[in-house]
Amino acid sequence: MRNFLRILSYIRPYWLHALLNLVFNLMVIIFSLVSFIMLIPFLNLLFGIDELVLTRPELRLSPEALLDFLNYYISKLILDQGKTDALLFICFFLLTSFFLRNLSRFLAMYFLAKVRVYAVKDLRDDLYNKLLVLPLSFYNQRKKGDIITRITTDVQEIDFSIMHYLEIIFRDPVTIITYYLTMMIMSPQLTLFVTILLPVAGYVIGLIGRNLKKESKAGQARYSGLLSIIEETISGLRIIKAFTAIGFSSERFKGLNRGFSRLILKIYRTRDLASPMSEFLSSVVIIIVLWFGGRLVLGDQGSISAAVFITYIVIFSQIIPPAKTFTTGYYSIQRGIASAERVFEILDAEEVIIEKENPVRISSFDKEIEYREVTFRYDTDDVLQQVSVAIPKGKIVALVGPSGGGKSTFADLLPRFYDPTGGEILIDGINIKDYRIDDLRSLTGIVTQESILFNDTVYNNIVFGKTGVTMEEVTEAARIANAHEFIMAMEQGYDSGIGDRGSKLSGGQRQRISIARAILRNPPILILDEATSSLDSESEKLVQDALFKVMKGRTSIVIAHRLSTIKNADTILVMEKGRIVEQGNHDTLLRAGGLYKRLHDLQTFA
């Protein structure tokens, strides 16, 4: 129920349209009720089943008195205008009533459409924004396919299963209550009997609904697994083919797909049971009401007249369709709630990287970056252990060492992709947690081993995240990155599309566009995470030349496996098992004869 109410909270900004939907649905009910109440007594009087009422009865609040009063006015209409004109009048009256009923129905759906569409839009916006602010550690623990399923399929399921039935949630209970009160006025005894009877049918329906919710949640989880495999297959197709694993991958997918299909079949059968079950229960209820009401009419006391009973049955029969629709909606909503639970797991995920209230603004720094007794761990394993180092402004600091030594984590802590689990990082003596996050990240330009580019034009990839940029600034950044020449050789120059993840470019070209993007930000701090390790010799030289231009006058943190690329670094930090085991420049570390020299000798020998 809590998740259902949270979904409904997205309707709040559109309360006026929701209210108008409710008003016009009430008008639908009123016009329907008037039609039913008018029709039966008129036909009884018109065709002589009942005698015309010539004396105006006293108006009292009881079903019989109201019916007598209505019969009097219908009788007066027949006497004054004749049966043919009276029939024409009642036909026109019913036509008008049905027109207004259906016009109100259209207007109710018209106003509901905005509520439904924009509430789902807001939910999707919130979910996407949450994905943007969640820490990188959140994605390390989840499959991309599962996350994509939640923001697409699960949100769509909420739209189809909950928002689609919003009108039923508001309309059908009001319809049932209105008809119920009318029935209570007509026959309290018969209505009390109905009140006892209906919950029994409702209980049976509820059992099916609860089972459907459980199965639907399991189905969405299975679907997420399928989507994850598809995403991994597309990304790793080269490896699948190279290792002749097509058959293996196919059988793995077929197994999961088979299990998913069996579960969906079970969900369909449970859902399909709902309609015939509610149809049968509705028929049972009507038959029992006919039996019980018929006894009241035929009994010696005659506690209800035949005309009132017929009208009662007609009105009661109108409760059945909304009750059945509400039942169908209930089943569907259970499926939607299962998806809502998965969506809210993301919306409720903890934002580990939290900005403090009234943060300090920063646009540059004057002295140094200091790591003070910094410790960091993933789960229970320490990646960094009491690391302390000062990086003066304008200096180049290189990080080297065996894989898994904590080099990338060291760099990722500076822009607060993660927060230390112990110690602190300071810029000009102020803890980076005190700074505004966007300001802190604006200080850094990052170039990684894997170039992260987007399926867009060269121009939009270079200016990514910046506004008010001139073409001259973009071309200047590209020239510094040694990228302008190959960009202009492309068919549409800077307006050329680069494909998914830059698939139309070579590795060196992608890296140089990434460097141009970092240059355009003009950051005072540059982080280079193995930016040349995956390139061929020619591309490496071009990229390396671009990086040397970029690093001039900037504080740079360079992570490198190839020691030849960081010989000119001011300070080299040698890291092993999360600790700084050696520190100095290239010549000093070679003379020390420690881990750095062993790594250097291995690469020289190779």
Side-chain angles (χ1 to χ4, degrees), residues 135-137 353 411-419 441 444 446:
L136 298 181
S137 57
I353 311 300
D412 286 343
L413 291 174
L414 183 57
R416 291 194 69 189
F417 295 154
Y418 307 96
D419 275 340
R441 290 174 180 170
T444 61
I446 300 176

Side-chain angles (χ1 to χ4, degrees), residues 186-247:
M186 297 179 70
S187 176
Q189 186 179 4
L190 187 54
T191 305
L192 180 62
F193 178 75
V194 171
T195 305
I196 297 172
L197 192 62
L198 286 178
V200 177
Y203 175 74
V204 177
I205 291 169
L207 291 177
I208 301 174
R210 284 191 293 272
N211 191 40
L212 187 62
K213 174 187 173 183
K214 181 180 178 182
E215 292 171 351
S216 296
K217 189 173 182 180
Q220 290 298 86
R222 292 279 185 92
Y223 183 75
S224 297
L226 283 179
L227 198 61
S228 293
I229 285 186
I230 293 170
E231 191 273 332
E232 290 172 355
T233 299
I234 295 172
S235 301
L237 195 57
R238 184 186 300 270
I239 298 299
I240 291 173
K241 291 177 179 292
F243 283 81
T244 61
I246 292 177

